[in-house]
Amino acid sequence: MAISFLLLTGVLLSTVLLLAMPLSRLFSAMVDTSPTAWPLPGRSRLLSMLTVPAREMSWGAYALAIVAFNGLGAVLLFAILMLQGGLPLNPLQLPGLSWHLALNTAISFVTNTNWQAFSGENTLSTLSQMTGLAVQNFLSAASGIAVALAFIRSFARRSASTLGNAWQDLWGITLYILLPVSLLLALFFVSQGVVQSFDGAFAYQTLEGIHRQIALGPVASQEAIKLLGTNGGGFYGANSAHPFENPTGLANLVQMVAMLLIPAALCMTFGRAVGDSSQGRALLWSMSVILVIALAVVVFAEYQGNPHLLSSGATASANMEGKETRFGILLSAFYAVITTATSSGAVNAMHDSFTALGGLIPMWLMQIGEVVFGGVGSGLYSMLLFVILTVFIAGLMIGRTPEYLGKKIGTFEMKMTALAILISPTLVLAGAAVAVTLPAGRDGVLNPGAHSFSEILYAFSSAANNNGSAFAGLSVNTPFYNLALGIAMLVGRFGIILPVLAIAGALVSKPRQPAGSGTLPTNGPLFIALLTGTVLLVGALTFIPALALGPIAEHLHGSVNLAGLEK
C-alpha cells in the first residue's frame, strides 16, 4: 500500500505540474491586458466583432459585471429547467422541475457548486443538460478565473485604478482556454468509452427479465468541463462512479489531473505576474503539503476499515463499502480527497460509506475554504486571503506594518479579509444548527445518531464552499433544503467574490515598496510553514467543535444518538 501510495502521488503531482506550466503562460498573457502580450492572433478583431467593450474597469464595475452576468445565467437556467417538458431534445418526455428544485439547481450551477438534489439522467432532458448545465459549467468556471486574474493584477500593477475588463476576461478564458482544453479532454474520454450520443436511451433487459432503459447523451463533452472547471455535476446520478462517465483506470487518473490542472496553473501565473516565480511555488508547496497529508490519512483510514467491526471480532479489514471494485480503495480515497480539495464535487465512490475518519477529511477540506488547490480561480484568491492573514499575524509578531509583495496591508484590507474568511464558516455552522433545530430539517434525516449530524454538516459544508458532493442518507429535495442550501451556495460564492474584488481595488492603487531588511520573505520554507499552519489552525478552531459531534463522535462511540435526531 505504501509503495502504491507514493507512486500514485508522485505520478499525479508530477503530471499536474508539467501540464500546468504551458497553461500558466496563457493565463499570464491574460493578466497583462496589453494587446502585444496575447500570444494568439485575432483576439482584438474577435472582441471587436462580438462588440465586447475594451475599457478597463474599477473594482466596483468589475464586481457588478460578474454579478450581473451570473444573475442573468441563473434566470435563463431556471427558465429552461421549469419549461423543459415542452422543449425539444427530451426523448424520455421528462416534465419540468418543481420551482424550488429548479431554483436550487440554477443557483448551484451558476455558483460553480453543481449540487444535485436529483438523478440527472432521470430528471433532466438532453436539452437541459446541454444548454443549461454544460453552458453554466463553462461560464461559472470562467467567472471564478476572471476574479482570480483581477486579484492577481492588484498585486502586479503599481498605483493603478483598474483591474482589467470583466467581459474581455470572460470571453478570453472561455474561448481560448476552457473550450480548446475541454475539446481535447472530451475526445480522450470518448476514446476511453465515455458516452457521446444523441440516441436518447439504451434499452436493456436485466437478469430478472425486466425491460428497462438508460438515458444516453453528450456525456463526454459535459464530463470534460465538469472536471476541468471543477464543477462536478454529473450527467448520471452515480456521477464518476458510473461506467458511462468514468469507464477505465486511465480515465480516472486523467479526471484527477484535470481537477488539479487549472488551480496549479493559476498559482504559477501568480508568480509570473508579480515577477517572482518563487511566490507561486510557495503557494503550491503549501497546498501540496496539506493535500498529501489528507491523502495519507484517508488512505490509512480506509485500509484500516471500520474499527467497530474489528473490535467486535469481524475479520474484515479494508473498507470497500460504497466503492467501485474497478478502482478499489486507493483510487477512491485519492478521488475523494482531490474532489473536496478542489471544489469539484465529482465522486467515484460514495463518501457516506467511508469510515468516520475517512469521511472527516473530505468534509474538513471543504470547511477550510477549499484552498488546497481549490476551485478554478476561487482556490487561488481564497488562498491569497490566507496569505494576507498570515502576513498580518507575522507583522504583529515583529511589530511591523504587514505587507505582501511590497504592498502595505491596511485596516480596510484586513476587514475585508476577515469578512471573506468568516462567511463560509458562518453559513455552515448556522445552516446546520437551523437544520437540526427545525422539524423540516430533521425530517430529511434517514440515519440516526452522530452520522445523521455528519450528513447535515457535510451538506452545508458542501453548499457554502461551492463543492457539490454529498453524504447520502439525507433527503434534500424538499423546499426547506433546496432553499437553505441555495442561499448557502449563493452567499458562499458572491459573499467572498465581492470582498476579494474590494481588496483588489484597494491594493491596485498602492505603490509597491522595495523590500527592506525587516521585510518578511514570503517565498521560503518559514513562510510556507506559517501559511500552512494558519490554514490548519483557522480550520481547526472553527470546525473541531462541530466535527466532534459528527465524525469524531461516530469514530469514538459508533452508535452515539444525538438528542432530537433519532428517527
Side-chain angles (χ1 to χ4, degrees):
M1 181 193 71
I3 294 176
S4 299
F5 173 83
L6 293 174
L7 284 175
L8 182 57
T9 303
V11 169
L12 184 66
L13 293 180
S14 299
T15 304
V16 168
L17 294 177
L18 286 174
L19 294 177
M21 289 179 186
L23 190 58
S24 68
R25 295 182 182 275
L26 285 175
F27 282 126
S28 297
M30 298 196 71
V31 173
D32 186 351
T33 56
S34 61
T36 57
W38 188 249
L40 296 176
R43 174 175 177 254
S44 299
R45 181 178 300 176
L46 176 63
L47 293 175
S48 177
M49 291 172 57
L50 296 171
T51 66
V52 177
R55 183 178 178 181
E56 291 215 349
M57 300 176 174
S58 64
W59 80 264
Y62 202 102
L64 180 61
I66 293 293
V67 172
F69 179 72
N70 286 274
L72 178 60
V75 172
L76 292 176
L77 179 54
F78 177 79
I80 291 173
L81 297 175
M82 289 287 290
L83 301 174
Q84 76 169 7
L87 298 176
L89 291 178
N90 189 0
L92 301 183
Q93 298 301 306
L94 297 169
L97 277 59
S98 64
W99 70 267
H100 52 86
L101 179 57
L103 180 61
N104 177 279
T105 305
I107 293 173
S108 175
F109 278 79
V110 165
T111 57
N112 201 242
T113 308
N114 299 65
W115 171 272
Q116 291 175 288
F118 55 85
S119 181
E121 73 272 31
N122 299 320
T123 309
L124 298 181
S125 68
T126 303
L127 183 73
S128 295
Q129 295 269 20
M130 290 174 54
T131 63
L133 305 193
V135 168
Q136 286 305 318
N137 282 348
F138 280 96
L139 301 183
S140 64
S143 298
I145 298 171
V147 174
L149 295 183
F151 205 24
I152 291 173
R153 293 185 189 114
S154 70
F155 291 100
R157 293 181 173 182
R158 307 185 183 193
S159 301
S161 59
T162 58
L163 296 172
N165 184 288
W167 307 116
Q168 290 194 5
D169 287 343
L170 290 168
W171 276 110
I173 293 164
T174 304
L175 295 180
Y176 289 108
I177 296 178
L178 295 180
L179 275 173
V181 180
S182 294
L183 177 60
L184 294 175
L185 268 179
L187 291 174
F188 168 79
F189 287 144
V190 169
S191 74
Q192 295 297 297
V194 178
V195 173
Q196 184 75 9
S197 170
F198 286 97
D199 288 343
F202 172 73
Y204 66 98
Q205 182 176 334
T206 67
L207 295 176
E208 295 81 8
I210 302 173
H211 292 276
R212 292 181 177 173
Q213 59 182 1
I214 183 170
L216 301 177
V219 180
S221 55
Q222 186 166 322
E223 193 75 9
I225 188 58
K226 149 193 162 180
L227 298 158
L228 185 68
T230 61
N231 294 284
F235 188 95
Y236 296 100
N239 208 278
S240 288
H242 198 292
F244 283 5
E245 286 197 27
N246 190 9
T248 66
L250 181 58
N252 189 73
L253 178 63
V254 171
Q255 289 192 9
M256 291 190 287
V257 170
M259 287 187 278
L260 294 167
L261 181 59
I262 290 181
L266 286 173
C267 289
M268 297 179 182
T269 301
F270 177 74
R272 291 176 182 272
V274 299
D276 185 357
S277 297
S278 63
Q279 300 292 341
R281 288 196 295 269
L283 300 180
L284 280 174
W285 268 108
S286 181
M287 294 176 178
S288 299
V289 167
I290 300 175
L291 180 70
V292 172
I293 293 173
L295 289 170
V297 173
V298 175
V299 169
F300 176 79
E302 294 306 297
Y303 270 106
Q304 289 295 108
N306 191 317
H308 307 294
L309 290 177
L310 298 177
S311 64
S312 63
T315 57
S317 54
N319 178 35
M320 275 296 293
E321 180 189 344
K323 298 178 178 65
E324 282 286 302
T325 54
R326 295 177 296 137
F327 305 131
I329 289 177
L330 187 66
L331 291 176
S332 299
F334 266 66
Y335 207 104
V337 169
I338 291 171
T339 194
T340 49
T342 61
S343 182
S344 175
V347 295
N348 75 347
M350 299 301 103
H351 295 182
D352 191 53
S353 295
F354 279 38
T355 62
L357 292 184
L360 181 150
I361 297 300
M363 189 188 308
W364 181 74
L365 285 170
M366 295 186 296
Q367 290 169 344
I368 61 176
E370 291 179 315
V371 296
V372 183
F373 289 90
V376 288
S378 62
L380 177 64
Y381 63 67
S382 296
M383 179 57 97
L384 287 175
L385 292 175
F386 277 100
V387 169
I388 292 174
L389 179 61
T390 302
V391 297
F392 174 74
I393 294 172
L396 291 179
M397 290 179 179
I398 61 177
R400 288 180 57 90
T401 301
E403 64 178 69
Y404 182 55
L405 301 178
K407 300 216 170 188
K408 300 292 185 181
I409 307 298
T411 304
F412 177 77
E413 291 84 358
M414 284 312 306
K415 288 180 178 179
M416 291 296 102
T417 298
L419 175 63
I421 290 177
L422 290 174
I423 280 176
S424 174
T426 302
L427 291 170
V428 173
L429 298 176
V434 170
V436 299
T437 301
L438 297 179
R442 297 196 301 271
D443 287 344
V445 172
L446 302 179
N447 298 310
H451 192 71
S452 63
F453 181 74
S454 296
E455 291 169 349
I456 294 173
L457 184 64
Y458 193 105
F460 281 95
S461 299
S462 179
N465 291 283
N466 303 130
N467 184 270
S469 63
F471 271 7
L474 184 67
S475 298
V476 292
N477 189 11
T478 63
F480 170 79
Y481 276 111
N482 280 332
L483 291 176
L485 295 174
I487 293 171
M489 290 185 282
L490 193 64
V491 179
R493 177 71 160 179
F494 297 104
I496 295 176
I497 283 179
L498 294 178
V500 163
L501 289 175
I503 295 170
L507 290 177
V508 74
S509 63
K510 295 184 177 183
R512 293 181 64 176
Q513 304 292 334
S517 57
T519 301
L520 172 69
T522 54
N523 55 358
L526 176 60
F527 184 76
I528 294 172
L530 284 173
L531 177 58
T532 304
T534 300
V535 172
L536 297 177
L537 186 61
V538 170
L541 292 175
T542 307
F543 287 105
I544 278 185
L547 293 172
L549 296 175
I552 296 176
E554 184 182 354
H555 175 75
L556 295 176
H557 303 293
S559 59
V560 171
N561 286 325
L562 299 179
L565 286 181
E566 299 90 344
K567 292 295 289 182

